[in-house]
Amino acid sequence: MKQKKIDKTPARLDFTQSVTGLILAIFISAHILFESSILISNEAMYKVTIMFEGYYFFGETYPGIITFFAAAISVIFVVHAAIAVRKFPNNYKQHKVMREHVLRMKHEDTSLWIIQITTGFIMFFIGSVHLYIMMAEPSNIGPFASSFRVVHEHMGPLYFLLLLSVVSHAFIGLYRLAMKWGFMEGKNTKVSRARFKFLMKTMIVIYIIVGSLSLAQYTYIGLTHDFSEVKKYKSKIIDLRAH
Ligand code: HEM
């Protein structure tokens, strides 16, 4: 008798989602640390910026590297989100069943999954705005350019929401990945699950604190540095619309 062929597409999609998620989680963990160099000094943040622009390799800065990097991250970001969309509860009935399930079971892992969906949804919009700006204005990164964007281009509140979403999403994602790939199957699954959960929560708290402190520092620089020349230049560009 002829055997029915197994459709491997769902397994492949699942694997792609895990791998893209892992890459993005590693990226964001490093991103927030590099960017927190502003907490050391303006000079330190500037050095990190030109390092990514290839200065220590080529002897000159090439902001195009940032555009390329941001484009690559965007592709991974879109692939990851596109695969995730198929898991969203996509009608009212499904949503109701899921809500009742969460309320009745008080199952923490299901609640984590709901946080994943919600934060993922938020990031889909805010993350895209941020990635586009990084791609379009790669030379406008640095202690003062970034602070100007945070304060005078009003990106601060958006970044704070993005920070809360991305940090929760990344570490809950890593926890779920560790569970999926069998890292919690020791002698005592319950104990190892509790340990991983503790680690996940600790990392979320640490990263939110570090990210918020950096954001506070960018805000402080944005508010105290003299940007009057930049503002004059920008208002000239805006004036051009009247002619
Ligand atoms: C290669 C792509 C990326 C580059 C070059 C980049 C660069 C930067 C820079 C320079 C800042 C400082 C503020 C500014 O200059 O506007 C920043 C802030 C931030 N970025 Fe990105 N970013 C990238 C991708 C992402 C992605 C994919 C996410 C999350 C989805 C993200 C989340 C954040 C958050 C949350 C902040 C505020 C950080 C804080 O609170 O300390 N970034 N990014």
Side-chain angles (χ1 to χ4, degrees):
M1 217 169 62
K2 229 179 165 187
Q3 278 224 319
K4 227 180 159 190
K5 238 184 154 187
I6 299 168
D7 184 6
K8 289 185 184 153
T9 315
R12 283 197 187 120
L13 286 177
D14 230 41
F15 181 71
T16 310
Q17 189 177 20
S18 298
V19 173
T20 48
L22 181 64
I23 296 171
L24 290 170
I26 295 171
F27 165 78
I28 203 68
S29 314
H31 171 324
I32 291 177
L33 291 185
F34 280 125
E35 197 232 315
S36 70
S37 51
I38 197 71
L39 295 173
I40 302 172
S41 66
N42 292 351
E43 183 73 19
M45 197 264 173
Y46 181 68
K47 280 187 177 155
V48 169
T49 306
I50 59 173
M51 174 183 83
F52 281 108
E53 290 174 357
Y55 181 77
Y56 298 110
F57 194 72
F58 303 112
E60 266 181 81
T61 56
Y62 292 101
I65 296 173
I66 305 290
T67 301
F68 178 79
F69 201 47
I73 292 294
S74 300
V75 171
I76 300 173
F77 186 73
V78 169
V79 170
H80 183 74
I83 300 175
V85 164
R86 84 203 146 103
K87 291 183 181 164
F88 276 37
N90 55 9
N91 61 41
Y92 178 68
K93 210 167 159 200
Q94 279 183 8
H95 180 79
K96 212 171 145 214
V97 169
M98 186 184 71
R99 236 188 104 72
E100 277 165 10
H101 180 74
V102 172
L103 290 176
R104 196 158 0 107
M105 308 282 285
K106 289 207 182 348
H107 191 265
E108 205 181 349
D109 283 342
T110 315
S111 311
L112 288 182
W113 183 67
I114 292 177
I115 298 178
Q116 284 298 80
I117 293 185
T118 314
T119 50
F121 192 71
I122 295 172
M123 278 195 295
F124 203 78
F125 299 99
I126 312 181
S128 309
V129 172
H130 175 51
L131 274 166
Y132 187 76
I133 295 174
M134 290 300 118
M135 250 188 286
E137 295 188 349
S139 47
N140 264 345
I141 296 174
F144 301 112
S146 296
S147 302
F148 185 83
R149 190 164 27 246
V150 167
V151 174
H152 302 283
E153 290 179 346
H154 318 291
M155 287 298 285
L158 224 64
Y159 279 156
F160 186 62
L161 191 54
L162 185 58
L163 175 72
L164 298 182
S165 305
V166 76
V167 168
S168 316
H169 194 93
F171 288 107
I172 293 175
L174 284 178
Y175 166 79
R176 289 166 62 86
L177 212 58
M179 186 156 54
K180 199 168 172 181
W181 288 354
F183 284 103
M184 297 179 202
E185 285 163 11
K187 270 190 210 139
N188 194 335
T189 320
K190 244 186 175 173
V191 174
S192 88
R193 204 180 253 222
R195 279 192 191 137
F196 269 91
K197 204 166 266 176
F198 177 73
L199 185 64
M200 168 191 82
K201 288 180 182 167
T202 311
M203 293 308 279
I204 291 177
V205 172
I206 292 176
Y207 267 88
I208 288 182
I209 292 175
V210 172
S212 303
L213 289 175
S214 312
L215 215 46
Q217 182 64 13
Y218 286 113
T219 307
Y220 174 75
I221 299 169
L223 291 174
T224 53
H225 186 73
D226 180 10
F227 284 113
S228 49
E229 281 304 308
V230 185
K231 283 186 179 162
K232 237 191 270 169
Y233 170 74
K234 292 225 165 190
S235 70
K236 258 190 203 153
I237 293 178
I238 291 163
D239 276 352
L240 281 178
R241 289 191 304 179
H243 302 288

